[in-house]
Amino acid sequence: MSEKKTTKKKVSLTVWIFLALVLGVVAGIALQSHAEFAESYIQPFGTIFLNLIKMVVVPVVLLSIMQGIISLQDIKKVGSIGGKTICYYLLTTAFAVTLGLIFANLLQVGAGYQLATEDLVYEASEAPSFMDTLVNIFPSNAVEPLVSATMLQVIVIALLFGFGIILAGEKGETAKNVVDSFSEVSFKVMGMIIKLSPIGVFALITPVVASNGPSVLLPLLKLIVIAYVVYVVHMVLVYSSTVYGIAKMSPLKFFRGMSPAMIFAFSSASSVGALPFNLECTQKLGAKKEVASFVLPLGATINMDGTAIYQGVCAIFISQIFGIDLTIGQQITIILTAVLASIGTAGVPGSGMIMLAMVLESVGLPVEGIALVAGIDRVLDMGRTCVNITGDAACTICIDALEKKKEARKARK
Ligand code: ASP
């Protein structure tokens, strides 16, 4: 009971966010015939909120990764955490897309549709090639990525400068203190913005419901339902079992603790935007700050299980609509490209759809098929983003537990 009292403030924010989501949906349904009103007068408040989040994300990512590295004090330790994190991320993403393919094949996601496919037009906005994606990770300028919020590059800068501070030893002490201090400041700024989230969630969800309305969703309902079933199955199967198996945490506690971040990811469709929430939720679940601040920003940038599921399900959907049979070999290609595509997907709304072009092209499926799913992308995006960030959090909880075990073992020796 007393614990309840101490966390009362946080719990009430969670409840507020949830209420805002429900109210937003209700208001959206009520405003369906006045969608323009919702877009002109309600959405701007959502935009203001997202702007504030975006504003604070670069300093938070840069400083928290640097601080995480500095506090680990040892490049080897960063390597060991980084290695485990990347393994977790890659394996779960490959599993996610495989699950998507299995469900989509078994449930015949695109069968029985008579959609006019002749006059489909989708201008594939160039999905970058794998080599381009690789080259683009490394910035040629130390400031520009911070200005344009190119997250992978920001992470590289944070890693290199974090290592630099460790290597500089005593002479790096001032830099370390500056990072510590500014990191604390940006977390406080983030905290202030998070308090506004019920307003943000309401203002973001209302116009989506008002302008899409339930009727638009009908023809593609099967695709939506199957995608969401896989989202849920993946979360329950993979995240429950890993947090329980590795960290001995009850899945219920995990999902309950994660709910504010999940609701925010759902309504904003942005992993990067949800990062501040994720940092807070995982730490409340007991993860050490130094682990969370290294594993989460990396995950928000490269780990996208939900996006991989979406890409697998959509690839099968599009192949079936166009009557193209995919061989097992082609489906394996989809798994590989979807894993790469999800790494290259930026944690912002809609970017998974752009990367879908890369997946379709890898097996010769018509990119125009994207036009079929573009209309409902937002609906699919909300769910996949929710999965994306929950995967980052599950990994954080597991890595944190492994690190704690390692420390305990060392202490015993
Ligand atoms: N919106 C997703 C995210 O931010 C990315 C995507 O479009 O799949 O995680």
Side-chain angles (χ1 to χ4, degrees), residues 269-272 304 307 345-353 381 384-385 388:
S270 167
S271 297
V272 169
M304 311 260 167
T307 303
T345 302
V348 295
S351 64
M353 193 176 75
D381 198 1
R384 65 185 188 245
T385 308
N388 290 346

Coordinates of all heavy atoms in Angstrom, one line a residue, residues 269-272 304 307 345-353 381 384-385 388, ligand 1:
A269 N 3.3 7.0 -33.1 CA 3.9 6.2 -34.1 C 5.4 6.6 -34.3 O 5.9 6.6 -35.4 CB 3.1 6.3 -35.5
S270 N 6.0 6.9 -33.3 CA 7.5 7.3 -33.4 C 8.3 6.7 -32.2 O 8.1 7.0 -31.1 CB 7.6 8.8 -33.4 OG 9.0 9.1 -33.2
S271 N 9.2 5.8 -32.6 CA 10.0 5.1 -31.5 C 10.9 6.2 -30.9 O 11.1 6.2 -29.7 CB 11.0 4.1 -32.2 OG 10.3 3.1 -32.7
V272 N 11.5 7.1 -31.7 CA 12.4 8.1 -31.2 C 11.6 9.0 -30.3 O 12.1 9.3 -29.2 CB 13.0 8.8 -32.4 CG1 13.8 10.0 -31.8 CG2 14.0 7.9 -33.1
M304 N 13.6 -2.8 -34.8 CA 12.2 -2.6 -35.1 C 11.5 -3.9 -35.4 O 11.3 -4.3 -36.6 CB 12.1 -1.7 -36.4 CG 13.0 -0.5 -36.4 SD 12.0 0.9 -36.0 CE 13.3 2.1 -35.7
T307 N 8.1 -3.3 -37.1 CA 8.3 -3.0 -38.6 C 8.6 -4.2 -39.4 O 8.1 -4.4 -40.5 CB 9.4 -1.9 -38.7 OG1 9.0 -0.8 -37.9 CG2 9.5 -1.4 -40.1
T345 N 15.4 1.6 -40.9 CA 14.2 2.4 -40.7 C 14.4 3.4 -39.6 O 14.8 3.1 -38.5 CB 13.0 1.5 -40.3 OG1 12.8 0.5 -41.4 CG2 11.7 2.3 -40.2
A346 N 14.0 4.7 -39.9 CA 14.2 5.7 -38.9 C 13.0 5.6 -37.9 O 11.9 5.2 -38.4 CB 14.2 7.1 -39.5
G347 N 13.2 5.9 -36.6 CA 12.1 5.7 -35.7 C 11.1 6.9 -35.7 O 10.8 7.5 -34.7
V348 N 10.6 7.2 -36.9 CA 9.6 8.3 -37.1 C 8.4 7.7 -37.8 O 8.5 6.7 -38.5 CB 10.2 9.5 -37.8 CG1 11.3 10.1 -37.0 CG2 10.7 9.1 -39.2
P349 N 7.3 8.4 -37.8 CA 6.1 7.9 -38.4 C 6.3 7.6 -39.9 O 6.9 8.4 -40.6 CB 5.0 8.9 -38.2 CG 5.5 9.7 -37.0 CD 7.0 9.6 -37.0
G350 N 5.8 6.5 -40.3 CA 5.7 6.2 -41.8 C 7.0 5.7 -42.4 O 7.0 5.3 -43.6
S351 N 8.1 5.7 -41.7 CA 9.4 5.3 -42.4 C 9.4 3.8 -42.7 O 10.1 3.4 -43.7 CB 10.6 5.7 -41.6 OG 10.6 5.1 -40.4
G352 N 8.7 3.0 -42.0 CA 8.7 1.6 -42.3 C 8.1 1.3 -43.7 O 8.5 0.4 -44.4
M353 N 7.2 2.2 -44.1 CA 6.5 2.0 -45.4 C 7.5 2.3 -46.5 O 7.5 1.6 -47.6 CB 5.3 2.9 -45.5 CG 4.4 2.5 -46.6 SD 2.9 3.5 -46.7 CE 3.6 5.0 -47.3
D381 N 1.1 1.4 -38.5 CA 2.3 2.1 -37.9 C 2.2 2.2 -36.4 O 3.1 2.0 -35.6 CB 2.5 3.5 -38.5 CG 3.9 4.0 -38.3 OD1 4.7 3.3 -37.7 OD2 4.2 5.1 -38.8
R384 N 2.9 -1.2 -34.9 CA 4.3 -1.7 -35.0 C 5.3 -0.9 -34.2 O 6.2 -1.4 -33.7 CB 4.7 -1.7 -36.5 CG 4.8 -0.4 -37.3 CD 5.1 -0.7 -38.8 NE 5.4 0.6 -39.4 CZ 4.7 1.1 -40.4 NH1 3.6 0.5 -40.8 NH2 5.0 2.2 -41.0
T385 N 5.0 0.4 -34.0 CA 5.8 1.3 -33.2 C 5.8 0.8 -31.8 O 6.8 0.8 -31.0 CB 5.4 2.8 -33.3 OG1 5.4 3.1 -34.7 CG2 6.4 3.7 -32.6
N388 N 7.9 -2.1 -31.5 CA 9.3 -1.7 -31.7 C 9.9 -1.3 -30.3 O 10.9 -1.7 -29.9 CB 9.4 -0.5 -32.6 CG 9.2 -0.9 -34.1 OD1 9.2 -2.1 -34.4 ND2 9.0 0.0 -35.0
Ligands
ASP1 N1 7.0 4.4 -37.0 C1 7.9 3.4 -36.7 C2 8.8 3.7 -35.5 O1 9.0 4.9 -35.2 C3 8.8 3.1 -37.8 C4 8.0 2.5 -39.0 O2 7.4 3.3 -39.7 O3 7.9 1.3 -39.1 O4 9.2 2.9 -34.8

